Every structure is written in C-alpha cells, then in structure tokens.
Amino acid sequence: MSLSTVVRRDLGPADRIPLGEGREFDVMGQIVAVFRSRNGQIYATQASCPHRGGPLADGLLGGATVICPLHARKFDLETGRSVADDCFLRTYPVYLDDNGHLILDFDTAELPVFEKFE
Amino acid sequence: MSPKQRLVVIGNGMAGARTVEEILSRGGRERFDITVLGEEPHGNYNRILLSKVLSGSQDASEILLNPIDWYADNGVTLKTNSRVTTIDRDAKNVQTADGSLTDYDRLIIATGSRPMVPPFGGLRTEDGALKPGAFVFRTIEDCADIAAYARNCKRATVIGGGLLGLESARGLLEHGVEVHIVHLGSHLMEAQLDRQAAEILKRTLETMGLHIHLGRSTKCILGEDRVEGLAFADGETLNCCMTIISCGIVPNVQLAKDCGLTVKRGIVTDDQMRSVDDPDIFVVGECAEHRGRVYGLVAPLWHQGQVLADVITDTNPKALYPGSKLATKLKVMGVDLATMGITEPEGDDEVVQFNESRRGRYKKLIIRDGTLVGAILLGETEKAATLLQAFDRGSALPEDRAQLLFSLEGNKAEASVVDAPDDTQVCNCNGVCKSAIVNCVKGGRKSLKMVMEATRAGTGCGSCKAQVQQLVEWAADGAVEEDPTVHYYVPGVPLAKPELVAAVKSHELKSVSRVFDALADGREDPGSKMGLASLLKQIWGADYEDERDARYINDRVHANIQKDRTFSVIPRIYGGVTSADQLRRIADAADKYEARMVKITGGQRIDLLGIKKEDLPDVWKDLGMPSGHAYAKAFRTCKTCVGTDFCRYGLGDSTKLGIEIETRFQGLESPGKLKLATAGCPRNCSEAYVKDVGAVAVEGGRWEIYVGGAAGAHVRKGDLLCTVDSHPDVLLYVGRFLQYYRENAKYLERTYGFVERIGIAKIRAVVVEDSEELATHLDHAMQQSVDAYVDPWLEAEQPVSVHQFASQLVGASE
C-alpha cells in the first residue's frame, strides 16, 4: 500500500476561468476539471465524462450542475453523481485562498494508479 | 389457515371465464374452491370471432380460449351442459336443470345475454321453436346450423344492420348465398356511425355483393313449413329461404329477478361489480347494469372482471369500476372500421373530417375542450390505436389535427409502438428498447421528462420522442404525471414563452444570468441557458449582453466538437463554389494542423476534422475564409446546382442566386439550423424541395420558393410559399419568411415543424399577402440582423474570454 499524502496545489488566480465556465488543469500529470459557477462556488472533478470521455470543462454549467458536451449526461458537481444515477465523477476538494487563488487538494496515493494507464 | 370458500360462477362465456382467470392470477386458487357452471358443452371460446367461423376463415377449434383441460389444470371444476334454474340466496346454493344443487359462499353471475327476437308474425312453429330457416347468431352451434342450411339456399336475409348483423351477413356471403340485409333504421350501424360514414360503408358492402335495404320494417316471416320470404310493413315482400335475426341482445336476468335481486335492463351492481342487494353476489359482463349502462362489448367486460377479482380476493378491496368509454371495431373481411364515443358533435364541439368516398375512406373526429370524445375511422384504421388511447385517457391532442387522421411521413412506426414486442428498439440513437421504457415507468417515473432522463430515450435526435411519450402514457395506465416544465419555454424558468417575453421586456433583462436572478429565484439551470440566450438575442438584438457561459461549447469556439474532443472546421464556401486558391489554402491548413480527415460535406463545403482546440485560431487565420457556421443554430449553407452557366437544362441562374442568398443570410442565428438550396430547374439536383428554404427556377424566368422542407431524421417536402420574378424578390420573401420563423418558432423548432404547426396558408398570408401588416417590420428586423453580421472567426485575433481556446492549464506552482 502506498502512503496517502495530500498535496496542495495552487492553480493560480480564479479568474483564469471565466465566470460560469470550466477549464481543465494538468495537475502533476493528471487532468482535473475546475468549474467557477455563477453561484460563487468552485468545483473540481475528474476531467472526462465516465460515459464516453467527453471534456466536462467544456460543458454548460449552472449552479452545481454540469452537462457533458458530448451526450448531455448531467452531473451534480458537489456529489459527483449523475442525474440518471448511472455513473459517478471523482470530486476533489478545492477552494479559494486569501489571494483569490484556486487551491486544489490532491491525494498522491492515486497517482500510481493513473500512471498504470499511461 | 381458514378453510377455502366455495366460489360458484354461473356462466362460462367470455366474462365468466375471464373473471376466473383474473381471480386465479390474484392467488384465488388458494382462497377459493371454484366451480363454473356452463350451459354450452364447450370450454370457453371467443364469441367475437364467431363471424369468422361462419365465413369459414377460422375453424371453431381456433377460437377456443380455455379448452376443457385448462379448468382442471387450474383446479377449477367446470360443469358443462349445466343450465342453472334457480338461485336460493337463503340456502346459498344454485340448482341446475338436472336437479343437482351446488353450494356457494360467493356467487358470480355471468349469464351474459341472448339474441333479441322481435315478435314477427309466422316466425315460430306451433311448439314455439323458430321456424326452419330462421336463425339467431350467438353460439358455435348456431354457426354450424346456419352453414349447413345455407348449402341448399339461394338467397338469405339478415334482419338487422347493426354490428353483428353486418358481420353475420358478410360471413354468409362466403357460402355462395345471395345475402340481403334488411334494416329498420335509415342508415347502417346507427349506434356507431353518422350518416355519411354509413353511406360509404353501405357502398363498400354492396361492392362486395351484399344487398342492403334500409328503412324496412319486417312484419312477418312468409312460408308454411319453412322460411320462404319476408313481408314488410309497406306491403312489399322479399323471397328468401333463410333469415338470420340480428336485432340486438337482451341481458339474461331471469335467474336474478327470480331470486329477488334488483334488475332494470341488467342486474344492477355497485362500483365493485357487486349486486346492490346481496354482498355475496357479484355480477359481470353483458348481464350487469352499472350506473345505468349495460355493455355489449368486450373491453368493458375485461375491466369489470379485473375490479371484481381485485375485490373478491382482497387484493385491492377498494378497487372501483368507473364505467367504460365505448369503442368498437367491425370484424368484417375487407372492411376496416373503428369507432369510439359519440357520432355527432354537440354545442361548440370541434369536428375534424376527411371524406374520400370514392375509395371508401372516411375519418371523423369530434373534439371537446381539447380532448377526443368521438371518432369514426372507415377504410383505414392505422391511427385507431393512437386515437383510442387519446379517447380513453382524455389526453392532450396535437395542435396539428391532421396528425390525428394520418400517419404523416416518417411516423409510420408511431402508431404501433404500443403493440410492438418488448425488445423493439424505440430510441435508435441511444439504443433504448421498449421494455426499458416500460420498466422505467412501472418503477415509478411517470412523466416523459423523468423517463427521458433516466433511460436517455428520446435524447438523441429526438425523432422518437412522440413514441416515448406514447409508451409512457400507456405504461402509466392513465397515471401520467403532468410535468409542468413542458409548458415552459425552458425548463428552468417557470413561464411559457409569451409570459417570459413579457417579463424579459418589462424587467429589461438583457443577459441570461439576469433572467435566472429575476425570474427563477437565482437558480441557474444549465439546460435552459442556450434557449434563453437564443430568446434574449432575438428580443434585444445588438443590446443583448452576451455571456459566453450561456453558449454551448461549439458556439464558444466556433467549431463543432467531435467524439475525441477535437473539432471540425468548415470554412464558408458561398454557394458551394470554390477556387484553386481556396483549395490550396485549405490543403495547406490540413497539412500544417494535421487534420485527420478532409471531407466533402453534404452542404457542398470542405470539412477539416480532428483539429485541436488550441489550434483553431491559427487554422482560421491560415484559411483566410469566414466561418461556415457548421456548428450553430444559424444559417448554414445554400447548396446550388450549376444553373445556367453550364447545365443544358438550367432555367435560372441558381449558382448566382445561391451565392447572393448565402452572402446575405450567412451566420444568421435562428431557433434551429437553416439549410437552404437553389435549383436551376425542377430536376432538383441541389435538393431544394427538401430544404428549410429552397428556390427552384421554373420556365419563364420565375422562381418558386419552398419552405419547411427537411431531409434529416424527419423527411418532408417543403410547401410552395410563392413564385416570384427576380433574385431580389427571392431574397425579399426568403428574408421575410426567415424573420417570421425566427420571431415565432419555439426554440429548436425546425422550419418543417414550424410550417406544419402554423400552416402554410397562414404563413403565405403573412409573408406574401401581408395580411397582418407585418411585412415592413419583418423586413426591417431582418435587415438589422444582416447588418449586424460579424464573422466569429475574427475572434482568432481578439479572443473574447480568458483561455478561450486553451486545452489545459497548469497550476501556478508547477
């Protein structure tokens, strides 16, 4: 078992993401979608839709819901649950620091798993 | 465990046997010792199909529903040839003709009905039996007797032109007999048909060889020892050697009357099919009178049997039978006829009618307060299942009433989805089969929206949505939950389009986020954003405050997203006419940006596929051509043929006109995408007849303008809007039509749906004849939109949002 170590990453100023949209970030080789909702919240999830790999960061965002641009699967960004309840997104803790930077907490224990797929 | 109760059923007809089946399916075998007393020597058979036995198209054995073995297999005691003579309610037993007694705890009376035989003179022999050659038509034995007698008969009469009379007359015809129908009324099947339908039916039957006499009152049967003819009240006579009396039915109620149960026309029951006098006696079928009505059709009787079984087995002690709406089908070879409800309109009822008597086709619908209350379908009944459902449920009807009468092109499968096998794939985009939809409804999701979200059926191209809706209604069995959002313009703002437009204007809401703030308690719905953006842009034009997050990704980056996250780039090629220079630039861009495929599109353009998002601006710059808008709900292309320049058939310069159209309307946003074409002659090489708008040159220097065509998931030939003399006139009327469509269509409604919904007559009046004095406004609004056109690919030089074309960002601390 690899040790679980939480790494904290600064993704830069929040306004790198236009209000109401999402952008993908490369975090130590792993791609994460970060969303800046007009409801004031920031969300971070896995970047690809579990259905057919659609880029969720390019989806339409409203409140805590994102719609995948490929086949319109809908997800709740807080829980990662799909509206049809047939698949899940991995979610990551993310917040704004005092400088208005996006801070993402990331568990390195997951990295080897992803390397296996590379 | 309490001992089993004795359940006795009098009558082994369709109602009695079906009710026993329903009781067994609710665990009745454990609760009851069931005894069925039947007068006929058979098991139970489908009486409805007797006319087919008479005509010889089915054998008597084929219409058996429950053979004798079935009863034993299910632990039911069947006593055939057992005519019940008395019911003793005090002793709780019944006596049969052979004198034997059968005790009961619960009793079901299903004695059915018998033919009504009017007191014609000379009908009976001295012993009271029908004279040889006179028959009724009710049992398998009657069938055999009639067929045997017909062998030596040249001419037969059938007295009565109702449902059963016509069926038996048609059956007799197959025996090589000349058949005359003698009907008292002034038209056939008065209970189910109006005069027009009856007249067409009469002609259809006459072409089959039936002779029909209307308004004839039969007085007596002629002949000493056997039937030799009929004599009528007006003194006329008609020779025949046999006659079948089909004058209706009378419920068999004598047993019930004798034991003191309340009997009017039938044995009176409550809403649980229980006798109003005795809690242990139930009544079902044609002998029952429920809320003043006696039913002679099979569907009501099935429903009664289910309620009775629910109650008697305690499966649902509160089950209620609410009464039935009447619908029938005529089972006569060569005649398609389905009827339901009333035959003539009352008061303000709306009537939709189609009459093509030459081909024996007649359709009539009666609509009251938006729901179907009556229908006659003669000569073509393919819409019967759909209509029956609408009639039964009182469900909402399509605005375009023609859809109720005809299976419009492309919708052939729609009518039958309810009858289709479970594994039928309904949604061909997402591969959802009928059973998945039905199970989803049975699992508790009882609205179209919920089912679509859960199964994804209907969420692809959307062409199966009507079928999914139909299945939801059917599977929910009347318990469809009305989803209020269907009335909203977008699901996330609880207002229909007119109210929403009014609110947007009065609050001066110029951006999508302000609409959510003002009209949806600040709750943003991502699925509503694009629809709102389209509407706001329509309302505010240049003053619209564009928020890029309200756009779909394609409209943020002006390219069409592909399954592998790359994009497709289609530059505008006006009228499909390109040049060597353009082709060189396209080829160079394809090489430089490693396009994975270079494809000629259906719209006469060239598609570079597999372009990375971050390369889009550079590709556009290298191409030096404007966007083709192949990703947007907007004007896309105008296909052309080579017109008069080269083609030896060309009548008009379709190439030049196409380029003019595309130059004028390029990028014009609209509720749905717009694909246009011009054709230099009616050979239609550019498919102008099936485009949203098509201009077709005709001899004499004129152009026909077609609108509302489609050749995608839905196929439709456009309607002719008008014929004009010049290119400027084509541009004028096309522009005016497009603006009218933009202002009045629902979001995502293509022109084919819009034109069908509004109707070409109305559109022509507004656009061509200016009946509503809108032309000036429409032309002006269109000119403003045309003037506001900006090539979105100029954003290559000036991105409008941060990292607009970025694929991935990296963290500040990397």
Side-chain angles (χ1 to χ4, degrees), chain B residues 624-743:
Chain B
M625 297 164 74
S627 165
H629 289 88
Y631 45 81
K633 304 292 174 222
F635 177 98
R636 294 202 167 176
T637 72
C638 187
K639 275 178 88 166
T640 67
C641 63
V642 289
T644 46
D645 282 357
F646 294 92
C647 180
R648 66 185 191 281
Y649 299 117
L651 301 170
D653 192 348
S654 53
T655 319
K656 179 160 180 274
L657 178 62
I659 293 171
E660 285 170 5
I661 287 175
E662 186 153 355
T663 306
R664 179 164 175 79
F665 301 116
Q666 60 185 324
L668 184 79
E669 295 190 347
S670 61
K673 61 189 169 192
L674 292 168
K675 295 180 170 181
L676 281 69
T678 56
C681 78
R683 284 174 188 76
N684 193 35
C685 294
S686 55
E687 295 150 5
Y689 291 129
V690 288
K691 295 297 180 188
D692 292 289
V693 178
V696 180
V698 293
E699 190 56 86
R702 293 163 69 79
W703 292 94
E704 290 180 339
I705 301 174
Y706 289 85
V707 296
H714 187 94
V715 180
R716 181 180 193 274
K717 188 182 174 186
D719 293 317
L720 181 62
L721 177 69
C722 58
T723 306
V724 299
D725 294 322
S726 66
H727 289 198
D729 275 355
V730 174
L731 293 173
L732 175 71
Y733 289 110
V734 168
R736 200 180 287 165
F737 166 75
L738 290 179
Q739 186 62 24
Y740 185 59
Y741 161 67
R742 293 171 80 204
E743 291 185 12

Side-chain angles (χ1 to χ4, degrees), chain B residues 164-470:
Chain B
L164 192 66
L166 298 186
E167 288 179 7
S168 48
R170 184 68 183 86
L172 256 183
L173 210 52
E174 294 302 304
H175 293 269
V177 187
E178 181 184 319
V179 183
H180 291 251
I181 296 169
V182 176
H183 187 53
L184 179 64
S186 61
H187 72 253
L188 296 172
M189 290 179 69
E190 292 108 327
Q192 293 91 5
L193 298 183
D194 65 1
R195 188 168 292 278
Q196 274 175 296
E199 190 52 41
I200 294 169
L201 176 65
K202 175 168 176 276
R203 255 175 284 154
T204 305
L205 294 173
E206 282 169 344
T207 56
M208 292 176 172
L210 288 170
H211 300 262
I212 297 168
H213 308 262
L214 298 176
R216 277 296 166 86
S217 168
T218 303
K219 200 144 190 220
C220 60
I221 311 293
L222 303 174
E224 278 300 312
D225 305 320
R226 61 177 62 82
V227 174
E228 289 173 6
L230 303 180
F232 304 117
D234 59 9
E236 303 255 329
T237 60
L238 179 65
N239 291 338
C240 62
C241 46
M242 66 187 292
T243 189
I244 299 177
I245 298 159
S246 293
C247 298
I249 53 169
V250 206
N252 288 322
V253 295
Q254 198 57 46
L255 274 178
K257 215 180 238 177
D258 292 346
C259 71
L261 298 179
T262 304
V263 172
K264 290 179 187 164
R265 274 179 63 216
I267 307 162
V268 180
T269 73
D270 62 13
D271 284 351
Q272 298 201 311
M273 302 318 295
R274 212 189 291 256
S275 155
V276 291
D277 310 287
D278 188 329
D280 290 325
I281 298 182
F282 291 80
V283 191
V284 67
E286 291 177 325
C287 61
E289 177 173 329
H290 171 263
R291 296 192 193 172
R293 295 176 74 179
V294 175
Y295 297 95
L297 298 169
V298 71
L301 160 174
W302 286 173
H303 195 175
Q304 291 176 356
Q306 286 165 359
V307 171
L308 195 164
D310 274 344
V311 173
I312 207 168
T313 60
D314 279 331
T315 310
N316 176 7
K318 290 184 176 156
L320 295 177
Y321 172 66
S324 296
K325 293 179 170 183
L326 291 183
T328 59
K329 262 188 146 169
L330 182 66
K331 282 156 297 297
V332 165
M333 265 188 297
V335 179
D336 289 319
L337 173 64
T339 69
M340 50 204 89
I342 60 174
T343 60
E344 293 294 347
E346 297 160 18
D348 292 334
D349 290 354
E350 173 189 345
V351 178
V352 182
Q353 213 163 359
F354 171 77
N355 188 342
E356 193 184 18
S357 53
R358 188 178 57 85
R359 291 179 61 192
R361 287 204 295 177
Y362 178 79
K363 304 182 184 196
K364 173 171 162 181
L365 309 178
I366 304 173
I367 297 166
R368 185 175 299 165
D369 300 329
T371 60
L372 189 66
V373 293
I376 299 171
L377 300 174
L378 176 60
E380 186 179 276
T381 53
E382 60 180 4
K383 295 300 278 186
T386 315
L387 289 172
L388 187 58
Q389 198 174 24
F391 171 72
D392 257 353
R393 310 261 159 86
S395 48
L397 304 174
E399 275 304 310
D400 176 14
R401 305 296 200 218
Q403 288 174 24
L404 289 166
L405 291 184
F406 305 103
S407 286
L408 301 172
E409 71 272 29
N411 295 340
K412 285 276 178 199
E414 192 184 311
S416 59
V417 65
V418 161
D419 307 318
D422 283 350
D423 58 357
T424 305
Q425 184 159 296
V426 176
C427 176
N428 289 325
C429 290
N430 291 317
V432 186
C433 67
K434 178 183 167 187
S435 59
I437 295 167
V438 171
N439 291 338
C440 180
V441 177
K442 304 261 187 223
R445 290 185 167 91
K446 297 195 174 173
S447 81
L448 177 66
K449 189 176 169 222
M450 284 193 277
V451 170
M452 283 174 63
E453 256 174 12
T455 64
R456 312 203 50 75
T459 62
C461 74
S463 63
C464 65
K465 234 167 115 173
Q467 285 173 277
V468 179
Q469 168 85 47
Q470 210 180 355

Side-chain angles (χ1 to χ4, degrees), chain A residues 9-10 15-16 20-21 23-26 38 48 53 55 58-61 63 69-71 73-74 84, chain B residues 453 456 524 527 529 547-549 551-553 556 563 565 613 802-803 807-814:
Chain A
R9 290 282 146 179
D10 181 346
D15 60 13
R16 297 180 84 188
E21 295 189 34
R23 287 291 181 268
E24 285 186 356
F25 286 81
D26 183 333
R38 285 184 182 271
S48 295
D58 284 343
L60 279 160
L61 173 65
L70 288 196
H71 306 100
R73 275 210 164 35
K74 265 191 206 177
Chain B
E453 256 174 12
R456 312 203 50 75
E524 258 191 316
K529 284 182 160 184
E547 290 167 340
R548 286 298 169 114
D549 62 296
R551 297 184 177 202
Y552 183 54
I553 183 65
R556 293 182 197 166
K563 63 187 285 186
R565 302 162 156 243
K613 188 159 101 181
V802 275
H803 304 298
S807 272
Q808 274 141 20
L809 309 177
V810 291
S813 52
E814 297 289 313

Side-chain angles (χ1 to χ4, degrees), chain B residues 493-514:
Chain B
V493 182
L495 294 171
K497 186 171 179 183
E499 290 83 55
L500 177 61
V501 170
V504 163
K505 286 183 176 165
S506 69
H507 292 82
E508 296 199 10
L509 306 173
K510 294 180 180 172
S511 70
V512 171
S513 61
R514 291 215 39 219

Side-chain angles (χ1 to χ4, degrees), chain B residues 738-755:
Chain B
L738 290 179
Q739 186 62 24
Y740 185 59
Y741 161 67
R742 293 171 80 204
E743 291 185 12
N744 294 284
K746 302 173 190 167
Y747 179 56
L748 298 183
E749 183 178 38
R750 294 286 303 270
T751 59
Y752 67 80
F754 173 74
V755 169

Side-chain angles (χ1 to χ4, degrees), chain A residues 98-115:
Chain A
D98 295 341
N99 303 318
H101 278 224
L102 297 161
I103 307 298
L104 181 81
D105 280 347
F106 192 78
D107 192 335
T108 54
E110 294 175 6
L111 285 177
V113 179
F114 282 87
E115 277 167 4

